[in-house]
Amino acid sequence: MKAIYKREVQSYFNSMIGWMFTAALTAFIGIYFMAYNLFQGDAYFSTALGATLFVLMVLVPILTMRSMAEERRSRTDQLLLTAPASVTAVVMGKYLAMLTVLACPLAIACLCPLIIHFNGTAFLLSDYASILAFFLLGAAEIAVGLLISALTESQVLSAVGTFGLLLVLYLWDGLVAYLPSTAGGSLAGLLVILALVCFLVNALSSNWKVTAAVFVAGAAAIIGGYIAASDRFAGLLPDMLGRFSLLGAFDSFSVDHVFDVRGILLYLSLIALLVFLTVQVVQKRRWN
Amino acid sequence: MIEVKNLVKRYGNHCAVDHLSFTVEDGQVFGLLGPNGAGKSTTMNIMTGYLAATEGDVLIQGHNILEEPEAARKCVGYLPEIPPLYPDMTVLEYLRFCAELKKLPAERRKEDLDEVLSLTHLNGQAERLIRNLSKGYRQRVGLAQAILGFPPIIILDEPTVGLDPKQVVEIRSLIRHLAKEHTVLLSSHILSEIRAMCDHVLILRKGKVMACDTPEALEEKLSAGGALELSVRGSAEAVRSTVLTVDGITSCEAQQEGDTVKMMISADGDAREALFYAFAQARQPILEMRPKTATLEEVFLDLTDEDDAVAAQAAALLADTPDEAAVQTTDAEQEGTGDESDL
């Protein structure tokens, strides 16, 4: 893992990508820092960070697009996958290298709350917690990009796919608002989600018996719950999906200035799930 | 030692490797030979753990490649068909990365790197970016990567493809040098290469084993018994009548070329001496006389023929006794030549 991590970091900073990512993110954070904090006199650096979030949507796909896709296209994955290292180590090495690139502009951003502090009142704890949340949100987005990159051989497809998915995550709250809040609507929505989960299980296990068992058990639980207490199903779907809002979790740091442990756990568990899926995708390719 | 047991790889309905079994003993140079698409690369990819087999097992030094992947892969150096190089690294950076990836002990790393660089004649190129290297040099960097750390088993997929003749000679001598202390498994669709380097040949056709033996034994099995090729000065009729005075001649084809006659003679037993005296008595000088043997090339062409019938016939010959094979070889040859245009 260490060898791959070192090579990846070196490769990001030998090519344009690492520098470009660092420069662009630093520049945008700087612009909003100047506008909100220096000129408008907002004491919270987290306001500027919140405004910069949309930049990640564009920068993350550029950072992640070649991570797995390029290895496959140039057949260098043959070197990595026949070396005495596990697939998990290979994927983790690459993921940690991308996190390192993300950490560079954020390390520079750590100076901003200090600048505010030297010029008046600063809320250092709240601001540094926001920077941590920003990092974790970026890390979750990078994990999305990593998974998409492992699914394709083309960097362009990987970038476009990641951008599309991130866009959905950004519009999540708005989209969830359109979901039906009636009990019947929630039942239908939950069954659709169950079907999607089963599709994923089937793709990973290639075993229809397991998939069928998951589907039958899940459907029985949902329908059973609906018959037992259908009034609880009203508004359940938008409520449940709303909890997965990545930006919502960041907002509790940057707008409400609270340390949202649930949000941190959401980010961490999403990262773990996506990295796990990436490993499975790479493993599974041996068998197809 | 590598044991491949009953290996099957299916891509949908297409069977790339079909119940393949063989064993590579320690210290052997083992050649996988087959036309394009015979399943050589797939077999190697399975042996190194890059792909998983649909059925069957691969044991590397007793370690199953799927159950104990790290222990098994530690014993193997692999050069895939396309060398797995990162164009944005220099040769030295790349090899350092490979050494770390292969978990070579840090204190021996520098010596290993130096030795590998000098073996592959890359000393002068160590600081160059891989992006700027020619095809031949890239192949050598790939080879350097495979032999780095000197694993007991070295697997090379078409190591000399795309190289110029001088580089081919260099790589071959390097492989022969490595063979002194390592087990080498290499694949090729070029016959002369396998013959020049390998102790043992496995001929693959459509994922199946057609033959597995030493190159000499394969030729021997198909050598054409008592058949002789002769060039004699004189006219065809005169020469033919001389031949017919010798006992035991079963067939004789003669062809006039200028003032010499080229002949193919089959006989029971060794007729060379009798022929010599007969021609000497008739004062017809023999310019050339040699026993006709099937070359490995002919064996290969027949065994890997597109036509299933020809291939099956050729495979049957190898199982037969050499004498019976001799008569049939000529038929099979006439049917089975010229299909493999890339040879």
Side-chain angles (χ1 to χ4, degrees), chain A residues 60-76:
Chain A
V60 164
I62 295 172
L63 182 69
T64 60
M65 64 181 184
R66 54 179 277 279
S67 56
M68 304 300 290
E70 177 65 13
E71 298 275 357
R72 228 177 119 199
R73 197 193 59 76
S74 66
R75 305 289 180 90
T76 41

Side-chain angles (χ1 to χ4, degrees), chain A residues 2-4 6-7 10-11 14 71 75-86 285-288, chain B residues 9 11 45 48-52 70 73-74 80 82 84-86 88-89 93-94 97 100-101 103 145:
Chain A
K2 210 176 116 208
I4 291 165
K6 265 165 58 184
R7 199 209 81 78
Q10 202 182 19
S11 156
N14 271 342
E71 298 275 357
R75 305 289 180 90
T76 41
D77 60 339
Q78 288 194 323
L79 175 71
L80 303 182
L81 297 180
T82 59
S86 65
R285 192 162 298 126
R286 286 178 207 262
W287 268 271
N288 66 358
Chain B
K9 179 72 183 175
Y11 292 110
N45 277 335
T48 50
Y50 178 65
L51 292 176
E70 297 195 18
R73 288 182 203 156
K74 253 189 181 161
I82 300 166
L85 307 176
Y86 293 100
D88 57 341
M89 297 175 105
E93 277 172 354
Y94 173 73
F97 163 65
E100 210 172 322
L101 194 65
K103 298 176 182 155
Q145 168 272 125

Side-chain angles (χ1 to χ4, degrees), chain B residues 64-252:
Chain B
N64 188 310
I65 190 76
L66 286 179
E67 283 157 23
E68 303 169 79
E70 297 195 18
R73 288 182 203 156
K74 253 189 181 161
C75 309
V76 178
Y78 179 38
L79 171 65
E81 201 172 359
I82 300 166
L85 307 176
Y86 293 100
D88 57 341
M89 297 175 105
T90 68
V91 174
L92 199 60
E93 277 172 354
Y94 173 73
L95 290 177
R96 279 208 191 106
F97 163 65
C98 293
E100 210 172 322
L101 194 65
K102 292 181 174 200
K103 298 176 182 155
L104 302 185
E107 63 277 8
R108 269 192 46 221
R109 224 171 266 172
K110 196 176 173 316
E111 298 158 37
D112 274 355
L113 282 179
D114 287 343
E115 194 173 351
V116 163
L117 282 175
S118 65
L119 272 178
T120 48
H121 304 287
L122 280 169
N123 296 54
Q125 320 296 327
E127 299 299 333
R128 283 180 67 186
L129 275 180
I130 291 176
R131 171 198 317 284
N132 300 333
L133 293 180
S134 68
K135 168 92 179 112
Y137 276 123
R138 286 182 192 204
Q139 189 77 19
R140 285 195 226 179
V141 177
L143 190 63
Q145 168 272 125
I147 64 179
L148 195 62
F150 298 98
I153 294 169
I154 294 171
I155 298 183
L156 309 170
D157 197 352
E158 307 206 344
T160 58
V161 83
L163 301 185
D164 68 38
K166 183 166 171 286
Q167 292 168 329
V168 170
V169 171
E170 281 176 9
I171 297 250
R172 279 187 196 166
S173 71
L174 172 60
I175 290 172
R176 248 178 257 119
H177 175 79
L178 289 171
K180 287 175 197 155
E181 287 164 23
H182 301 80
T183 309
V184 181
L185 178 82
L186 57 94
S187 78
S188 180
H189 61 271
I190 302 164
L191 207 113
S192 57
E193 185 165 291
I194 294 279
R195 186 218 218 87
M197 288 190 282
C198 298
D199 312 326
H200 218 86
V201 186
L202 186 144
I203 299 182
L204 270 179
R205 175 179 177 275
K206 296 185 181 169
K208 287 193 177 113
V209 182
M210 297 307 283
C212 183
D213 214 328
T214 61
E216 295 78 22
L218 284 177
E219 284 181 11
E220 176 116 333
K221 277 188 186 168
L222 284 197
S223 72
L228 295 170
E229 283 182 320
L230 272 87
S231 296
V232 180
R233 183 158 289 151
S235 70
E237 300 84 58
V239 169
R240 193 195 297 272
S241 58
T242 313
V243 171
L244 292 176
T245 61
V246 177
D247 287 337
I249 299 293
T250 51
S251 79
C252 166

